Amino acid sequence: MTDTNYPIGRLLRSGITGFVAGCPIVEQERPSFGALVRAPLGPNDSIYGVVHELSILDDGLVRQLVTRDQPVDDTVIADNRVNRTVPMEISVLAVGHSHNGAISHALAPRAPLSLDAIHQCSPEEIVTFTNHGRFGYLRHLLRDTELPVGELLAAHVRQAAAANATAGQPEWRTRAAQEIIALLRDDYAILMQVLGALSDVLENEQ
């Protein structure tokens, strides 16, 4: 495994359609919106998901600090971000699972357990997961109308396309876009939102 495959936090609550992890805010890379992560389902199984929300929680001390007239000292900010308990929540939409190394883009048969460690997927894992089958996992990103579907798909495609291009598969991005168009062919409004977000993101990658 590469050094990008690291634990990002521990599970707070879960279901078969998604889960939420808590982690401290520290000065190091954290999974971004649209990133692929995984949680254990046992010694040989995992559930995979895409990050769709990152929330910074407040508490009484933070409310007091932001309402003061005086500047907040840097040491107080650092202490709040590093030493205080679980100020960040990462919400994940489940998109598939693996059993004894075999990938499936169907929902997992059970939910991960609380306090299990959540891992950022390595580029190698991203390539393996996103190249299984015919993009079946994308339908999970389209099912929740409460999510910013266009932005979420664009962010995920950008990150997955980068991993696939590094692995010698630059055509993955085109194949993914074609599959998204096929999935949304009967929903013109959402299709236009998705294509607009994809265009904004991918043009910046040129």
Side-chain angles (χ1 to χ4, degrees):
M1 292 185 179
T2 71
D3 59 1
T4 58
N5 187 318
Y6 53 83
I8 60 172
R10 290 191 178 275
L11 201 107
L12 292 173
R13 51 189 180 275
S14 69
I16 60 171
T17 59
F19 46 94
V20 177
C23 66
I25 300 175
V26 294
E27 297 299 328
Q28 69 183 63
E29 184 182 1
R30 288 295 175 194
S32 58
F33 180 64
L36 187 69
V37 300
R38 62 175 168 79
L41 285 177
N44 300 311
D45 300 348
S46 297
I47 181 172
Y48 291 86
V50 172
V51 174
H52 68 81
E53 180 67 274
L54 296 102
S55 305
I56 308 298
L57 306 181
D58 68 352
D59 60 15
L61 176 59
V62 171
R63 289 176 180 272
Q64 291 179 31
L65 291 173
V66 299
T67 55
R68 288 174 36 170
D69 291 333
Q70 296 84 6
V72 180
D73 191 89
D74 289 343
T75 57
V76 175
I77 294 176
D79 178 69
N80 184 74
R81 291 178 177 175
V82 176
N83 297 325
R84 294 175 64 78
T85 55
V86 193
M88 177 184 284
E89 285 190 0
I90 299 173
S91 298
V92 179
L93 181 70
V95 294
H97 67 285
S98 67
H99 175 62
N100 291 327
I103 299 291
S104 170
H105 288 170
L107 290 176
R110 58 188 182 278
L113 301 177
S114 57
L115 296 180
D116 275 342
I118 311 302
H119 283 72
Q120 167 97 29
C121 287
S122 68
E124 293 83 359
E125 286 179 299
I126 294 172
V127 170
T128 299
F129 185 84
T130 59
N131 281 279
H132 174 76
R134 287 182 49 82
F135 297 97
Y137 75 100
L138 292 178
R139 68 178 180 272
H140 300 295
L141 302 180
L142 298 171
R143 71 169 183 259
D144 193 338
T145 58
E146 298 298 318
L147 297 178
V149 173
E151 304 298 330
L152 181 59
L153 275 169
H156 169 70
V157 168
R158 180 180 60 80
Q159 296 175 55
N164 277 279
T166 301
Q169 301 185 76
E171 78 286 355
W172 183 91
R173 185 174 71 177
T174 300
R175 292 193 289 113
Q178 291 171 341
E179 184 63 20
I180 290 170
I181 292 172
L183 289 170
L184 291 172
R185 62 184 178 277
D186 295 326
D187 193 334
Y188 182 78
I190 296 297
L191 175 59
M192 289 300 100
Q193 292 179 26
V194 171
L195 292 181
L198 280 171
S199 178
D200 288 343
V201 169
L202 298 181
E203 281 181 2
N204 292 330
E205 299 293 311
Q206 299 296 325

